[in-house]
Amino acid sequence: MNKPNNILSFLGVTLMLSACTATPVVSSPDGNIKVDVIRDGSSLSYSVSVGGDTLIKPSRLGLEASGLSLSDDLKMEIKHSSFDETWLQPWGENKEIRNHYNEMAVTLSDDSFAYTVRFRAFDDGIAFRYEWDKAATDSVIVHDELTEFAFAETARSWSIPANFDSYELEYRNLPIDSVTDANTPFTFEIGSTGIFGSIHEAALYDYPEMTLLRGEGNTFKANLAPMPDGIKAYLPSSFVTPWRTIQIGTSACDLINSGLILNLNEPSKIQDTSWIKPQKYVGIWWGMHLGTMTWTMGPRHGATTENAIRYIDFAVENNLQGVLFEGWNEGWETWGGDQHFDYAKAYSDFDIDSIASYASSRGIELWAHNETGGNIPEYEAALDSAFAYYKSLGIHTVKTGYAGGFAGGEYHHSQYGVKHYQKVVETAAKYQLMIDAHEPIKETGIRRTWPNMMTREGARGMEWNAWSAGNTPEYLCTLPFVRLLSGPMDYTPGIFDIDYERAKNDPGRIEWNGPNDYCKINTTLARQIANWVIIYSPLQMAADLIENYEGHEAFQFFRDFNADCDWSQALQGEIGKYIAIVRRSGDAYYLGAGTDSSARTLSIPLNFLSEGVTYSARIYADDPSDRTKVTITEKSVTSADTLDVSMAPSGGQAVTFLPK
């Protein structure tokens, strides 16, 4: 006899294997990673092993959702398949990516209902998602997700606390049994086996973000961002959830070199991507954080016609492609109150038409900055008209900001927020606009499907150095192994005046956030240069005031640098301690390395260089006697050589390799 139930949960359903089903196990193509699906009475769970050692012990699967009526006699069917392709993306850390996996689909069904858990096992990790099709039901309401990650043994972890409104939090290096909750990526190391991993999600669209909540022992449960009424998601009768992912490697660098998150997203929905172009840019931005400029009109207004022309000329003279202006549009005077921005009306001292014409004549891309202050209804109402206006001006890039709470108690990272961020991306695509999102939803690889979603913030960026004690070198050595596993970050690197001498000597400086003499850059100048390589973004900014770059010999690195990568590889690194990454653009290679508060020397084989080619290596290294200076040397090298990279405490090194 059928017993209807309006809660969808694998734990509450008796599963019956059909006589012709295959074994509920799937392994990675190389056989090293294995996922087992376990049935125990009426429950369904999964486990993961690596090299024969259990990584994730049996962990719950399922959702609690109303709108679906289940019975206890559903049949269970298992299908296996394999997939192998190499695909090209218009931009990215690597233009060419192999997508190779074995798949197992576990389906529960009756005559009117089908529910599937789809597993994929790659050589660099595993993923699974939930899919359902209930045509007779108008909608489904998700109350909870039962997904668990039960670690077989204790581990060391790196993460930020769970927060449904912000990712701008400090990293914690903790044993997992000391972590109460966490956002993802959640990176870990199993001491006994030397396995590194990171829990995250892929293809996040019409669904709330997943955070992790620790239960008993070393078990973490998926915790979804709720809406004000407590519901997690309102969904149609046919739907697929985001993928729950575990990247896996035998070194911390393996996680950086993984393509798993991208591979779990669909191919591009934008057929003509010729207008989507990586670029280097400068902008009127850092001065506002230092207090030498203002967002609003007045004697210190940064976004003026005069400054715009000056920044455009600087970009032309220094082989840069774009210029950003914050504070160009009316509404900043309402900041902190009843915020209202006009996304198409410039301040009277910013002649946007003549500026756009001048930029076009000089071959420079203008950026339109849109700060919303969290006023989502207002911004969505203006999207089409504003984006059409930008396109008419020849603008192809928009930087968005959400520095403020959403109305009605909505979280930034709830289903409401996720849908809004995606609406901006898709609307931008209609008008051939690239997006750089600050205060964003986390990156989950949607840049494969929507390659105009170029980069986003989503962590403590450069501005934290202007109005706090700043980001530590340990933080910068953690960032590549946690936040950057999800995708590009607009950190806005490259401050050359690391002691803020120019700003401090400016008699008209406005300390808008109170006295901040304790604020500083906590690295050497060489590390600031190396960050252009280490912290990947296809839109890479030279964030300092242009006066601090003019005439500076070390700025040659950024002039030579190409933000349009063809290939990248993390070479060496330990989480929180040091990192070395190389990227190739055309025939040129760029190396960036950084260390924590300890001095360090790395021996780096140059076997990534093309064989039979001699390169001129221009090395930007720490000056041992002065952290505000760099030593620049040149030498000839080949792929048979090894480079000793010496770094001062909190330092780094950057190298360009140009064929002779």
Side-chain angles (χ1 to χ4, degrees):
M1 178 175 125
N2 293 344
K3 296 179 181 179
N5 189 341
N6 69 346
I7 299 297
L8 175 59
S9 167
F10 288 133
L11 295 179
V13 180
T14 300
L15 307 176
M16 299 182 65
L17 287 170
S18 64
C20 59
T21 56
T23 305
V25 176
V26 64
S27 297
S28 58
D30 64 5
N32 189 52
I33 301 172
K34 186 176 73 168
V35 180
D36 288 85
V37 173
I38 308 101
R39 180 187 178 191
D40 181 11
S42 62
S43 68
L44 188 67
S45 60
Y46 77 103
S47 65
V48 181
S49 62
V50 182
D53 295 317
T54 300
L55 174 65
I56 302 296
K57 62 186 181 181
S59 302
R60 292 195 300 175
L61 292 167
L63 298 164
E64 289 186 358
S66 58
L68 295 172
S69 180
L70 302 182
S71 63
D72 61 3
D73 57 356
L74 292 174
K75 67 179 180 179
M76 179 176 180
E77 183 179 18
I78 298 171
K79 293 182 179 180
H80 286 86
S81 62
S82 297
F83 188 79
D84 192 1
E85 70 169 352
T86 297
W87 59 279
L88 301 176
Q89 55 180 338
W91 59 267
E93 301 92 325
N94 296 284
K95 294 283 181 64
E96 183 176 292
I97 297 180
R98 187 181 184 189
N99 185 15
H100 189 197
Y101 61 82
N102 292 326
E103 180 175 285
M104 177 174 65
V106 180
T107 299
L108 313 175
S109 66
D110 59 20
D111 293 338
S112 62
F113 166 71
Y115 192 98
T116 298
V117 187
R118 190 174 303 276
F119 294 88
R120 288 181 183 172
F122 302 78
D123 290 345
D124 55 347
I126 68 103
F128 58 89
R129 74 180 182 190
Y130 306 110
E131 308 170 4
W132 63 79
D133 185 2
K134 179 73 172 177
T137 301
D138 291 334
S139 62
V140 173
I141 299 174
V142 176
H143 301 282
D144 195 15
E145 182 170 329
L146 305 177
T147 303
E148 288 183 343
F149 304 88
F151 286 87
E153 58 182 282
T154 191
R156 174 65 56 176
S157 71
W158 294 263
S159 68
I160 59 172
N163 187 297
F164 295 138
D165 273 323
S166 177
Y167 305 115
E168 297 184 30
L169 305 168
E170 295 189 69
Y171 289 121
R172 309 160 303 176
N173 177 5
L174 295 170
I176 59 174
D177 58 7
S178 297
V179 176
T180 302
D181 55 52
N183 218 307
T184 68
F186 178 78
T187 300
F188 59 86
E189 178 188 8
I190 308 295
S192 64
T193 61
I195 293 297
F196 288 83
S198 187
I199 298 172
H200 191 45
E201 55 185 318
L204 173 62
Y205 287 100
D206 185 7
Y207 203 75
E209 77 162 5
M210 177 186 73
T211 65
L212 301 177
L213 184 65
R214 188 168 68 85
E216 294 184 5
N218 295 326
T219 297
F220 289 86
K221 177 188 173 299
N223 190 31
L224 306 180
M227 286 179 280
D229 60 4
I231 298 299
K232 303 302 175 66
Y234 293 91
L235 301 171
S237 58
S238 295
F239 193 78
V240 298
T241 69
W243 294 93
R244 278 60 187 101
T245 67
I246 310 177
Q247 291 169 277
I248 297 169
T250 57
S251 73
C253 285
D254 285 345
L255 304 180
I256 299 175
N257 296 328
S258 167
L260 183 146
I261 299 296
L262 279 175
N263 279 328
L264 290 163
N265 282 266
E266 296 181 358
S268 176
K269 292 184 180 294
I270 302 174
Q271 292 186 347
D272 176 16
T273 59
S274 60
W275 53 274
I276 302 175
K277 298 177 181 178
Q279 60 182 266
K280 298 179 292 184
Y281 72 103
V282 289
I284 294 175
W285 171 78
W286 185 236
M288 280 84 96
H289 292 281
L290 293 179
T292 62
M293 297 177 180
T294 63
W295 282 278
T296 55
M297 276 189 63
R300 285 279 169 166
H301 192 203
T304 65
T305 302
E306 180 183 0
N307 281 338
I309 299 303
R310 192 163 59 92
Y311 271 70
I312 291 168
D313 289 343
F314 177 86
V316 172
E317 293 161 4
N318 289 277
N319 189 33
L320 313 182
Q321 294 82 47
V323 180
L324 160 74
F325 302 102
E326 289 202 12
W328 69 274
N329 60 315
E330 290 190 357
W332 285 93
E333 63 280 354
T334 68
W335 181 258
D338 185 14
Q339 294 171 182
H340 167 76
F341 291 94
D342 191 320
Y343 299 103
K345 187 174 183 181
Y347 281 119
S348 60
D349 60 351
F350 190 83
D351 186 346
I352 191 169
D353 292 320
S354 66
I355 292 167
S357 177
Y358 184 72
S360 178
S361 71
R362 304 225 63 190
I364 296 298
E365 294 275 352
L366 285 190
W367 288 41
H369 177 248
N370 289 174
E371 175 54 61
T372 69
N375 190 338
I376 302 307
E378 177 183 80
Y379 190 46
E380 290 191 352
L383 273 180
D384 275 287
S385 59
F387 285 4
Y389 177 54
Y390 301 153
K391 184 179 181 181
S392 74
L393 293 171
I395 291 172
H396 290 290
T397 311
V398 174
K399 176 182 176 181
T400 59
Y402 298 88
F406 289 0
E410 299 280 3
Y411 286 120
H412 283 65
H413 308 159
S414 67
Q415 184 187 30
Y416 173 87
V418 170
K419 291 174 69 173
H420 165 72
Y421 289 114
Q422 187 58 30
K423 181 174 183 176
V424 173
V425 172
E426 295 186 25
T427 305
K430 289 196 305 182
Y431 298 97
Q432 296 191 338
L433 291 169
M434 299 179 285
I435 294 295
D436 169 7
H438 280 230
E439 298 83 39
I441 189 62
K442 64 175 69 169
E443 168 67 292
T444 60
I446 69 164
R447 57 191 169 116
R448 180 186 181 186
T449 311
W450 297 95
N452 66 317
M453 181 60 252
M454 304 292 285
T455 189
R456 62 189 86 200
E457 190 185 35
R460 287 168 57 113
M462 180 62 74
E463 69 269 22
W464 281 84
N465 297 295
W467 28 260
S468 76
N471 296 329
T472 66
E474 288 75 19
Y475 170 87
L476 291 172
C477 289
T478 304
L479 201 63
F481 301 100
V482 187
R483 160 64 181 86
L484 288 167
L485 297 183
S486 68
M489 178 181 178
D490 189 32
Y491 183 84
T492 56
I495 302 303
F496 273 29
D497 184 12
I498 59 176
D499 285 338
Y500 307 154
E501 289 301 322
R502 185 181 298 275
K504 290 177 180 178
N505 291 325
D506 186 335
R509 181 187 184 198
I510 303 167
E511 292 185 323
W512 57 270
N513 60 322
N516 54 9
D517 288 339
Y518 66 92
C519 302
K520 64 177 181 178
I521 301 291
N522 291 305
T523 73
T524 65
L525 175 55
R527 177 59 191 274
Q528 288 294 301
I529 298 170
N531 283 344
W532 280 320
V533 179
I534 296 169
I535 304 175
Y536 174 71
S537 176
L539 305 177
Q540 194 61 283
M541 187 181 196
D544 208 343
L545 308 175
I546 60 174
E547 294 88 344
N548 294 326
Y549 297 133
E550 291 172 331
H552 203 303
E553 185 182 10
F555 196 61
Q556 186 61 44
F557 181 89
F558 199 61
R559 296 188 189 99
D560 293 335
F561 183 68
N562 191 338
D564 190 4
C565 292
D566 295 311
W567 170 86
S568 300
Q569 188 173 72
L571 301 172
Q572 299 180 22
E574 290 187 49
I575 305 173
K577 295 182 179 180
Y578 66 93
I579 181 65
I581 292 178
V582 65
R583 307 193 192 279
R584 177 177 62 81
S585 298
D587 295 329
Y589 291 80
Y590 308 95
L591 174 70
T595 186
D596 57 11
S597 298
S598 300
R600 198 179 305 271
T601 298
L602 305 178
S603 292
I604 299 181
L606 302 182
N607 52 14
F608 54 81
L609 297 174
S610 299
E611 291 186 14
V613 179
T614 299
Y615 293 83
S616 175
R618 186 174 175 90
I619 302 168
Y620 299 77
D622 291 317
D623 183 329
S625 62
D626 190 340
R627 76 184 198 102
T628 69
K629 297 180 180 179
V630 296
T631 61
I632 303 175
T633 58
E634 292 193 37
K635 62 190 296 187
S636 296
V637 298
T638 70
S639 62
D641 292 321
T642 295
L643 184 68
D644 287 333
V645 175
S646 296
M647 298 175 284
S650 307
Q653 191 171 125
V655 186
T656 58
F657 299 93
L658 304 177
K660 283 194 165 183

